[in-house]
Amino acid sequence: MSLREQFEAAVIARMKESGFLEVEIRVECLGRSGGGYSDGSVDAYWHFWNESRSVVVVEMPPAPAEPEEPECAIDDSHMDAYHAAQRMRNACAKAIEAAGLKVTP
């Protein structure tokens, strides 16, 4: 779910608690205007939602050190765990960024 979809789902959930119908919310409150919303309050909420996400930074654990070549290695299998750890770390970073948060190496 994108950052905007998360925001709009939160707005819809909150406004439904106040008795509004989802179709009303989508038409009257979530109408787009440029990069924001035509409703001034919702546009301000969108701005602050983005600001709140921009200051959160997730620090990743250090990347694994590349192992040294074993002296009697027959193949590259000793590198499998290293490459698997790198792929997992990269996938985690992408998932965190997809949630709208920043990642430091």
Side-chain angles (χ1 to χ4, degrees):
M1 183 180 286
S2 74
L3 186 63
R4 187 177 288 268
E5 290 169 334
Q6 292 173 23
F7 171 76
E8 290 180 357
V11 169
I12 290 168
R14 176 61 186 103
M15 295 191 83
K16 283 172 103 176
E17 291 173 0
S18 298
F20 292 95
L21 297 174
E22 185 170 339
V23 68
E24 294 173 314
I25 299 165
R26 289 191 180 279
V27 171
E28 296 175 19
C29 301
L30 297 177
R32 303 275 176 89
S33 176
Y37 295 91
S38 54
D39 181 286
S41 294
V42 174
D43 194 53
Y45 304 150
W46 174 238
H47 169 77
F48 294 120
W49 176 280
N50 283 315
E51 286 296 313
S52 72
R53 294 294 179 97
S54 70
V55 296
V56 176
V57 179
V58 177
E59 185 176 344
M60 296 290 289
E66 188 170 341
E68 294 180 14
E69 185 75 33
E71 293 185 24
C72 299
I74 297 172
D75 58 20
D76 281 350
S77 61
H78 69 283
M79 295 293 290
D80 290 347
Y82 167 76
H83 290 298
Q86 286 288 70
R87 284 191 304 273
M88 186 182 327
R89 189 173 187 279
N90 292 338
C92 288
K94 285 181 184 178
I96 292 167
E97 288 169 346
L101 304 176
K102 293 179 184 176
V103 176
T104 61

